[in-house]
Amino acid sequence: MGRADALKPGRHKGGHPPLSRAELPVDTVSLARFLIGKIVARETAEGVVSGRIVETEAYVVGDAAGHAYRGMTPRNRSLFLERGHAYIYLAYGSSYMLNVSSEMPGIGAGVLIRALEPLEGIPIMQRNRGIERLRDLARGPGRLTAALRVDRRLDGLDLCREGSLWLGRRDHEPGEIGQSIRIGIARDANRLLRFYLRGSRFLSGLRSLNE
DNA sequence: AGTGCGATTGACT
DNA sequence: GTCAATCGCACTA
């Protein structure tokens, strides 16, 4: 499909109409569950890259593990945008994390996207990641942002509009959704706020968390 | 201005 | 399984 076709009314980049804000659940935990099976799509210079969300984590209001816990700062202000906006930050000096803001304007909370099943633009992802293996292309929060070339420049973007990065409708019904503790956090570590598509090969985390 | 620390990854035993 | 790289940011002074 050419560029002109992609921009024609009624067509959608990569065939993924964006999720409307109205259909996003207002509550953070509900949104984390809702996003399993939905699509993340990215328009790059080389074409559309997309994947199916198979793993998320909720960082809820008042959560000691959440970046909004100590109030708004220059880094985390996007977490306080109305639900459906991107909050992107750099972790460990090397990995960008992609989150979806999840509450009313002024309330800081979000959903971390932790893993994607690659759908479109797989050769582009392989180039972006410097590896071939499909299973590892977007398995992990830092890996998926590398595969999609997502960085802080996209922080604050509205993910409910088709643009350079957006959330798309699911292409089929997701399977059974599992729930576990979150990965890699010290505070509030026992809450079951991680959600995943049971049986997916594209999950991060230990196998014991994916059963 | 200095300090400590991650919502991780990749390399390695 | 272990472990260190890496750097922006929040926090202290």
Side-chain angles (χ1 to χ4, degrees), chain A residues 24-25 27-36 83 100-102 111:
Chain A
L24 300 184
D27 162 76
T28 302
V29 174
S30 303
L31 181 64
R33 184 186 288 275
F34 171 85
L35 287 176
I36 300 295
R83 69 192 193 282
V100 182
S101 68
S102 56
V111 174

Side-chain angles (χ1 to χ4, degrees), chain A residues 33-118:
Chain A
R33 184 186 288 275
F34 171 85
L35 287 176
I36 300 295
K38 304 300 188 296
I39 305 296
V40 176
R42 170 92 166 108
E43 164 119 270
T44 72
E46 301 134 300
V48 170
V49 182
S50 70
R52 179 182 298 124
I53 299 171
V54 296
E55 182 180 343
T56 63
E57 281 176 357
Y59 287 85
V60 301
V61 175
D63 186 344
H67 284 187
Y69 187 59
R70 290 170 206 283
M72 197 187 299
T73 69
R75 174 175 73 157
N76 70 16
R77 65 192 166 83
S78 298
L79 270 182
F80 295 80
L81 296 173
E82 188 175 18
R83 69 192 193 282
H85 288 82
Y87 165 51
I88 297 162
Y89 70 92
L90 182 65
Y92 296 101
S94 54
S95 300
Y96 289 100
M97 306 284 121
L98 172 62
N99 299 256
V100 182
S101 68
S102 56
E103 296 281 343
M104 302 294 284
I107 307 291
V111 174
L112 172 67
I113 309 299
R114 284 198 59 92
L116 300 178
E117 174 182 344

Side-chain angles (χ1 to χ4, degrees), chain A residues 28 121 132 134:
Chain A
T28 302
E132 296 283 307
L134 191 64

Side-chain angles (χ1 to χ4, degrees), chain A residues 11-211:
Chain A
R11 309 279 321 241
H12 297 280
K13 297 168 185 174
H16 300 305
L19 291 171
S20 72
R21 192 165 338 275
E23 63 195 298
L24 300 184
V26 178
D27 162 76
T28 302
V29 174
S30 303
L31 181 64
R33 184 186 288 275
F34 171 85
L35 287 176
I36 300 295
K38 304 300 188 296
I39 305 296
V40 176
R42 170 92 166 108
E43 164 119 270
T44 72
E46 301 134 300
V48 170
V49 182
S50 70
R52 179 182 298 124
I53 299 171
V54 296
E55 182 180 343
T56 63
E57 281 176 357
Y59 287 85
V60 301
V61 175
D63 186 344
H67 284 187
Y69 187 59
R70 290 170 206 283
M72 197 187 299
T73 69
R75 174 175 73 157
N76 70 16
R77 65 192 166 83
S78 298
L79 270 182
F80 295 80
L81 296 173
E82 188 175 18
R83 69 192 193 282
H85 288 82
Y87 165 51
I88 297 162
Y89 70 92
L90 182 65
Y92 296 101
S94 54
S95 300
Y96 289 100
M97 306 284 121
L98 172 62
N99 299 256
V100 182
S101 68
S102 56
E103 296 281 343
M104 302 294 284
I107 307 291
V111 174
L112 172 67
I113 309 299
R114 284 198 59 92
L116 300 178
E117 174 182 344
L119 290 178
E120 298 165 282
I122 288 170
I124 301 172
M125 292 196 212
Q126 288 170 324
R127 205 171 328 134
N128 290 345
R129 289 270 295 117
I131 61 166
E132 296 283 307
R133 210 157 98 97
L134 191 64
R135 182 170 127 87
D136 293 334
L137 284 183
R139 187 171 61 87
R143 292 169 176 163
L144 76 88
T145 54
L148 300 191
R149 281 194 183 270
V150 165
D151 62 33
R152 269 231 110 192
R153 287 174 295 191
L154 298 172
D155 181 58
L157 196 74
D158 184 359
L159 299 174
C160 298
R161 293 175 62 99
E162 210 170 2
S164 55
L165 182 69
W166 72 98
L167 293 169
R169 293 166 199 292
R170 63 164 175 257
D171 52 352
H172 64 79
E173 288 292 320
E176 191 186 349
I177 296 175
Q179 200 167 347
S180 81
I181 59 168
R182 295 173 291 183
I183 296 176
I185 59 165
R187 290 166 298 201
D188 258 325
N190 293 326
R191 305 174 74 174
L192 299 179
L193 293 175
R194 173 175 175 265
F195 297 90
Y196 57 94
L197 181 60
R198 196 160 264 160
S200 171
R201 305 162 45 222
F202 300 93
L203 300 174
S204 74
L206 303 168
R207 183 156 51 204
S208 61
L209 289 180
N210 295 334
E211 287 165 357

